[in-house]
Amino acid sequence: MNISKGLYIHIPFCIQKCKYCDFVSFCGQEEQYDLYIDKLLTEASEYKGENVDTVFIGGGTPTILSVSQLSKLFSGIYKTFHVCNGYEFSIESNPKTLDNDKLSILKEYGINRISVGVQSFNNNELKAIGRIHDAESAYNTINMIKKHGFDNINIDIMLSLPGQTEDSLYNTINTAVQLNPTHISCYSLILEEGTKLYDEYASGIYTAIDEDYDRRLYHTAADLLKNSGYERYEISNFSKSGFLCRHNLKYWNCDEYIGLGVAAHSYINSRRFYNTSDISQYLKGNFHSDDICLLNQTEKIKEYIMMRLRLCDGINDNEFFDRFGTYFSQKYFPAINKLISGGFMNKSNNSYFLTDSGFDVSNSIICEFL
């Protein structure tokens, strides 16, 4: 049986690299876009005929591509893969990279979920992290998407930005809620070495928000979203009923997925492997690294625990047994008992999941099992 996989496609191009970004992305390489799409579709041919029921085009900024380039990419996907009925097809975008023509081509090719990298509706915060848009253009972009008939929209919001306060975050979340998207993601800023923002922090230009204040901001966002009808289903992700991101759930459920493009990762037949991060090599057709990891049972269990404890549903004992032949409750009884006693974990309907206090220290908790 050919089980449906997820398909991730990486478009590594941007207009301008944000100050916090450490993703594999490149600016000022417009002349490479057509060749890159050609190579993407060549790589895709290795998986011809595979069933996929979620497609996620990320970046970078995929909507930096022209209408004709997007059309060529989408057409190639449908020719190469069997995109199953009831699919979810997502694309990431940024304000100022979408227009009516591009939205029309997205609609024509059946893209049914758009994720918009807003990050903040505060202009000072946007400027501090090097975004190319302002609050007004973000607001207008989402309204334009809605006018084209897209009814599954995600807004990305960032926490702990330079100068961010509880009031400014409240205003950002409130503005996002007023736009009535189906999904909102809230991620804390992480200072990564090699980024402009890290250099500003290291030189004293920017003072990082401490962990306690970061948690206060997170709870401000989570409470407001809950009160506005958004259910938290993963540490950083909130959705209206029926609009959970099915593609990302493949990662959190440790299901199989195919990754295409520079630096893309795949998980197929218990093997984890990834593509080169060197775009010059990728454009020569040297797609894959030689580093292939065949996961054994112990490694699969650890990954499953690490990913599933991010979800509010947590780990179901029977599902764990069906997958691994042992019960989570028995294999990890001492750790589970300790966490429940400490108020960091609960049990309900044979499932074990983190409490709000547990989510606040989730990295430490996951280490208890790893």
Side-chain angles (χ1 to χ4, degrees), residues 70-81:
L70 288 169
S71 178
K72 183 177 182 180
L73 174 61
F74 299 149
S75 176
I77 291 170
Y78 285 112
K79 288 176 182 175
T80 304
F81 297 94

Side-chain angles (χ1 to χ4, degrees), residues 139-368:
Y139 193 92
N140 292 339
T141 294
I142 293 162
N143 278 326
M144 180 172 59
I145 293 169
K146 291 165 69 175
K147 286 179 181 177
H148 277 260
F150 292 94
D151 58 4
N152 192 358
I153 301 170
N154 171 65
I155 293 178
D156 279 340
I157 299 297
M158 292 186 74
L159 312 177
S160 298
L161 299 177
Q164 192 173 57
T165 65
E166 286 183 85
D167 284 343
S168 70
L169 177 60
Y170 180 91
N171 290 335
T172 283
I173 298 293
N174 199 43
T175 302
V177 166
Q178 288 173 10
L179 285 163
N180 198 31
T182 49
H183 192 287
I184 296 178
S185 299
C186 292
Y187 293 97
S188 292
L189 172 68
I190 298 175
L191 286 171
E192 301 285 1
E193 287 191 46
T195 63
K196 289 184 179 180
L197 203 59
Y198 184 90
D199 292 341
E200 290 181 3
Y201 160 73
S203 62
I205 296 172
Y206 157 56
T207 302
I209 287 176
D210 65 48
E211 190 173 341
D212 288 341
Y213 196 64
D214 173 81
R215 290 297 84 196
R216 281 176 59 185
L217 293 173
Y218 172 81
H219 288 294
T220 295
D223 290 345
L224 181 54
L225 288 169
K226 180 180 178 181
N227 293 335
S228 302
Y230 293 86
E231 174 191 1
R232 181 177 65 184
Y233 69 97
E234 191 269 347
I235 291 177
S236 302
N237 287 275
F238 304 77
S239 81
K240 293 191 172 183
S241 179
F243 289 95
L244 285 67
C245 180
R246 288 164 47 198
H247 182 82
N248 285 343
L249 282 168
K250 287 190 181 289
Y251 303 143
W252 297 320
N253 288 324
C254 295
D255 295 333
E256 292 191 340
Y257 55 89
I258 297 164
L260 303 178
V262 170
H265 287 233
S266 300
Y267 178 53
I268 303 171
N269 294 329
S270 301
R271 296 180 308 133
R272 289 206 180 281
F273 52 98
Y274 55 91
N275 285 351
T276 178
S277 296
D278 185 337
I279 191 167
S280 64
Q281 286 300 312
Y282 189 88
L283 293 175
K284 292 175 183 176
N286 301 321
F287 305 134
H288 308 301
S289 75
D290 295 327
D291 192 357
I292 299 175
C293 178
L294 181 63
L295 272 62
N296 60 34
Q297 182 81 336
T298 299
E299 290 166 333
K300 288 180 184 178
I301 288 174
K302 288 180 177 180
E303 282 205 359
Y304 187 80
I305 292 171
M306 180 174 66
M307 301 307 287
R308 286 290 311 190
L309 285 182
R310 294 186 60 88
L311 294 172
C312 294
D313 287 345
I315 295 171
N316 180 274
D317 221 15
N318 293 330
E319 290 177 6
F320 193 90
F321 181 85
D322 290 343
R323 189 177 279 232
F324 301 113
T326 185
Y327 287 103
F328 178 68
S329 58
Q330 294 177 357
K331 185 174 179 65
Y332 295 99
F333 175 78
I336 291 169
N337 192 49
K338 174 184 173 183
L339 292 169
I340 290 176
S341 298
F344 299 107
M345 180 176 275
N346 275 337
K347 177 187 177 184
S348 177
N349 298 324
N350 215 32
S351 290
Y352 298 85
F353 52 90
L354 299 186
T355 63
D356 285 346
S357 297
F359 276 139
D360 283 340
V361 291
S362 60
N363 288 340
S364 299
I365 286 174
I366 289 168
C367 288
E368 292 275 343

Side-chain angles (χ1 to χ4, degrees), residues 95-96 118 120-123 126 132-144 175 179:
K96 291 199 171 180
V118 172
S120 173
F121 283 102
N122 180 289
N123 285 334
L126 290 170
I132 63 169
H133 68 271
D134 58 15
E136 182 180 10
S137 61
Y139 193 92
N140 292 339
T141 294
I142 293 162
N143 278 326
M144 180 172 59
T175 302
L179 285 163

